[in-house]
C-alpha cells in the first residue's frame, strides 16, 4: 500500500516519467478539444459545451498520488489505522476506512487530506 509506495516509486520509475506521461495526456486532451470535439457534427452546440467542460474538469492522476512521496502526509494517512496481530479482517477494514476518509475529504475540497 501507500506506506511502501515511496520506496517502490523511487526504484521503479525514472524521475521524468510522470512529466512525460502528463505531457502525453495533455496532448491527447488538446487534440480532443481541437479536432475530435469540433468535428463531431453529430453533437449540437450545448452537448459539445458539456463535453468540453467535462474534459477540462477531469482529474488526471499519473502513476501515484503526490502525497505518497511526503512522509508526513503518509504518517497522517495511517495515524487512525489500527492493526493488531491475528486480526486481518479488522486491519483491512481500518485501512479501507482511512482510505475512504481521505477520498471523501478530497471530494469536499480538502487537498491536504
Amino acid at each position: 500500500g501507500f506506506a511502501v509506495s515511496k520506496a517502490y516509486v523511487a526504484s521503479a520509475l525514472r524521475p521524468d516519467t510522470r512529466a512525460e506521461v502528463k505531457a502525453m495526456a495533455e496532448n491527447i486532451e488538446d487534440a480532443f478539444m481541437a479536432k475530435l470535439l469540433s468535428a463531431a457534427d453529430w453533437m449540437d452546440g450545448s452537448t459539445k459545451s458539456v463535453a468540453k467542460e467535462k474534459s477540462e474538469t477531469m482529474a488526471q492522476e499519473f502513476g501515484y498520488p503526490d502525497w505518497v512521496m511526503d512522509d508526513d502526509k503518509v504518517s497522517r494517512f495511517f495515524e487512525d489505522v489500527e492493526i493488531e496481530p491475528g486480526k486481518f479482517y479488522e486491519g483491512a477494514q481500518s485501512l479501507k476506512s482511512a482510505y475512504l476518509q481521505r477520498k471523501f475529504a478530497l471530494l469536499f475540497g480538502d487537498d491536504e487530506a
Side-chain angles (χ1 to χ4, degrees):
F2 295 122
V4 296
S5 294
K6 183 177 180 178
Y8 174 76
V9 167
S11 70
L13 296 175
R14 293 186 336 263
D16 57 343
T17 300
R18 282 181 85 204
E20 291 173 4
V21 172
K22 184 176 182 180
M24 192 183 325
E26 288 170 354
N27 289 338
I28 292 168
E29 182 179 2
D30 290 346
F32 170 75
M33 296 287 202
K35 296 180 181 168
L36 294 175
L37 191 58
S38 63
D41 51 5
W42 53 273
M43 286 186 186
D44 64 17
S46 64
T47 304
K48 286 182 183 181
S49 178
V50 170
K52 181 178 185 282
E53 184 180 330
K54 282 185 178 184
S55 180
E56 292 171 342
T57 59
M58 278 194 328
Q60 296 181 356
E61 297 181 9
F62 305 103
Y64 55 91
D66 290 330
W67 67 271
V68 301
M69 302 305 281
D70 183 323
D71 292 337
D72 291 333
K73 289 181 180 180
V74 172
S75 292
R76 278 200 315 267
F77 177 84
F78 286 104
E79 69 187 0
D80 294 327
V81 175
E82 296 180 23
I83 304 291
E84 294 181 39
K87 294 189 174 184
F88 176 78
Y89 177 78
E90 290 84 353
Q93 289 300 105
S94 185
L95 283 167
K96 186 68 168 177
S97 176
Y99 176 78
L100 290 175
Q101 287 174 10
R102 176 169 172 66
K103 285 297 187 184
F104 279 120
L106 290 171
L107 179 66
F108 293 109
D110 183 359
D111 293 334
E112 290 297 316

